[in-house]
Each structure stands twice: as C-alpha cells, then as structure tokens.
C-alpha cells in the first residue's frame, strides 16, 4: 500500500484540480439523445488492460450495451474475448452512478466479471469497484481513477490499480492521450503500466485508435511486454 499511496501523491500533484470518468464517454446520458440505450462494438490487435495483454497478444473483439438514466444511474453488460486459463470470453455486468459536484464529474461503479469455460479449479469470477474523477480544462480533460478487487480472477487475490490520464486535441476529430498507472496485487506481480496514443473520430459513430502500451514488468511474462495496438470502436 505504500507504493499506492506514493502514486496517489504523484498523480494528485501533477493534476492539481483532480480528474476522471468512464472509458465509454460516448455512453453518457445526454438529453438530446432519442434513447436511454447505447451500444458499442469493436475490435483490436491486442486486448490490453492496465498495460498487460489479456488475449495472449492476439486480436480480440468486444461489445457493450448500456442503459443511462437522466438521474446519472446506469447499468451495462459487456463481453470481450481473452486467452486466459482455458477461457476465451470474459463477461461483465456493471451498475454505477455518474454525477457532478464542485466543478468536477464523478463516476462510481461496481461490476462482476466471469470468465466463461475456464479450466476446473480456476477462479473464474470477481467483483471490481471503480471510482473516477474528471475535470475539463478547456479542450483538455484529465481523469483520475482507482479500481479495487478484493479477490481477483485466477490466482490473483486483492488488487488495486491507480491511474491518471490526460487527453488533448491535436486537430479536428483527432485527440491524443497519455495514461500512467500503478498496480499492486497479492499473489501476482506489482508493476507500473502506461500507454500513449491517438484516437481519430472517423465519423460521429466510428473511432480509430493507435496506442503504445508498456509496463516495467516485462521479465514477468510476455503479457507485460510493450506493444503497439490498433483498435476500432463503433458506438450508436
């Protein structure tokens, strides 16, 4: 927990007015939308989470359906393909609340994950709790995120991830972002992870992303090695 505390201090000092929000920013409730429902589908050359690969560095696909209420409450169901302990699909059910106060946006949620078809004896389910803070500075937005799982998937026990992200426009429909995070785990490696890249809004519903992912735990296995990842996201 000492490393987590130090990381909190560093991120707080680097982003003095706080930060954050969900990755699926397009799914937030907006009064002008005709429906409370939103959908996302996509694919990428590697399924990267917190800097590490979940798909054995192979391509993957994912999807998400979400209901967003005018009061800020939301619920969603997700899936993504992986390669872990015999499982090729991870599913997730999530519920949360997005709200604003004191000039910041907040997002707090709880989710339950399952790895379908995992080998016998594998811990194939886990709870995860997430808290985001986001702040806009003109065209720039910054996010601070804390995730905690009391008992993770597989052999991992309690784990905590602390992350800071900054995004900024480069041109019309083109944004760059940089993310730095620290992960502490019981019965799994502690490491620092990061990514940097660009996202291009090809249309109002389709975005392309090119991003470099890395960690300082490459000696712990191929899933922690650096990689350039391309992905596409369609939302409607």
């Amino acid at each position: 927990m000492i490393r987590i505390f130090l990381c909190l201090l560093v991120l707080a000092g680097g982003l003095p007015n706080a930060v954050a929000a969900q990755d699926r920013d397009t799914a937030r409730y907006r009064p002008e939308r005709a429906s409370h429902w939103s959908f996302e589908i996509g694919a990428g050359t590697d399924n990267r989470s917190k800097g590490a690969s979940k798909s054995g560095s192979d391509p993957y696909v994912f999807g998400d359906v979400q209901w967003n209420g005018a009061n800020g409450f939301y619920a969603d169901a997700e899936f993504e393909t992986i390669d872990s302990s015999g499982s090729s699909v991870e599913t997730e059910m999530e519920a949360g609340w997005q709200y604003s106060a004191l000039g910041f946006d907040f997002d707090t949620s709880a989710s339950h994950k399952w790895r379908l078809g995992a080998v016998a004896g594998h811990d194939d389910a886990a709870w995860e709790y997430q808290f985001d803070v986001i702040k806009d500075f003109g065209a720039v937005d910054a996010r601070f995120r804390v995730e905690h799982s009391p008992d993770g998937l597989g052999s991992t026990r309690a784990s905590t991830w602390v992350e800071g992200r900054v995004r900024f426009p480069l041109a019309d429909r083109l944004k760059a972002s940089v993310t730095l995070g620290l992960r502490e785990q019981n019965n799994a490696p502690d490491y620092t992870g990061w990514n940097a890249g660009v996202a291009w809004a090809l249309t109002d519903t389709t975005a392309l992303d090119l991003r470099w992912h890395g960690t300082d735990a490459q000696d712990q296995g191929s899933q922690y090695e650096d990689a350039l990842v391309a992905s596409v996201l369609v939302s409607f």
Side-chain angles (χ1 to χ4, degrees):
M1 292 304 294
I2 294 176
R3 294 182 69 213
I4 292 291
F5 180 69
L6 290 175
C7 188
L8 283 166
L9 290 179
V10 170
L11 291 172
L15 303 170
N17 290 316
V19 268
Q22 291 283 36
D23 287 331
R24 52 193 179 285
D25 299 323
T26 55
R28 286 179 171 272
Y29 173 79
R30 298 193 303 274
E32 66 272 18
R33 284 182 60 94
S35 173
H36 288 271
W37 293 92
S38 60
F39 305 86
E40 291 184 349
I41 55 174
T45 58
D46 187 3
N47 186 352
R48 288 272 163 162
S49 175
K50 304 174 180 68
S53 177
K54 298 174 66 176
S55 60
S57 300
D58 289 334
Y60 81 113
V61 296
F62 59 92
D64 174 22
V65 56
Q66 186 176 72
W67 181 88
N68 301 270
N71 56 6
F73 287 97
Y74 64 89
D76 66 70
E78 309 172 27
F79 82 90
E80 57 185 312
T81 58
I82 62 171
D83 183 6
S84 180
S85 299
S87 175
S88 58
V89 178
E90 183 175 296
T91 59
E92 179 178 355
M93 297 291 290
E94 181 179 28
W97 182 36
Q98 299 167 344
Y99 56 99
S100 300
L102 303 174
F104 302 103
D105 293 327
F106 300 89
D107 192 324
T108 182
S109 66
S111 62
H112 195 240
K113 299 182 177 182
W114 298 267
R115 287 181 174 170
L116 306 182
V119 295
H122 175 81
D123 187 356
D124 59 358
W127 283 96
E128 188 171 86
Y129 306 95
Q130 181 174 290
F131 179 71
D132 290 347
V133 188
I134 194 167
K135 177 68 175 179
D136 292 337
F137 304 92
V140 178
D141 68 82
R143 183 184 73 189
F144 177 71
R145 167 173 288 177
V146 178
E147 288 183 0
H148 178 72
S149 177
D151 186 6
L153 295 162
S155 61
T156 303
R157 299 311 178 205
S159 67
T160 302
W161 169 257
V162 177
E163 171 192 285
R165 185 192 72 184
V166 177
R167 293 191 304 189
F168 50 92
L170 297 176
D172 184 36
R173 293 183 173 267
L174 183 66
K175 280 190 174 184
S177 64
V178 179
T179 303
L180 173 65
L182 174 65
R183 194 174 196 184
E184 286 197 349
Q185 307 179 97
N186 291 339
N187 206 35
D190 296 340
Y191 66 91
T192 300
W194 59 85
N195 70 71
V198 294
W200 177 37
L202 181 62
T203 70
D204 290 342
T205 60
T206 305
L208 305 177
D209 190 278
L210 185 64
R211 190 162 305 279
W212 185 267
H213 293 263
T215 76
D216 65 352
Q218 297 187 30
D219 59 343
Q220 297 294 325
S222 60
Q223 70 267 35
Y224 297 105
E225 293 178 354
D226 294 357
L228 182 65
V229 177
S231 60
V232 59
L233 172 68
V234 179
S235 58
F236 50 95

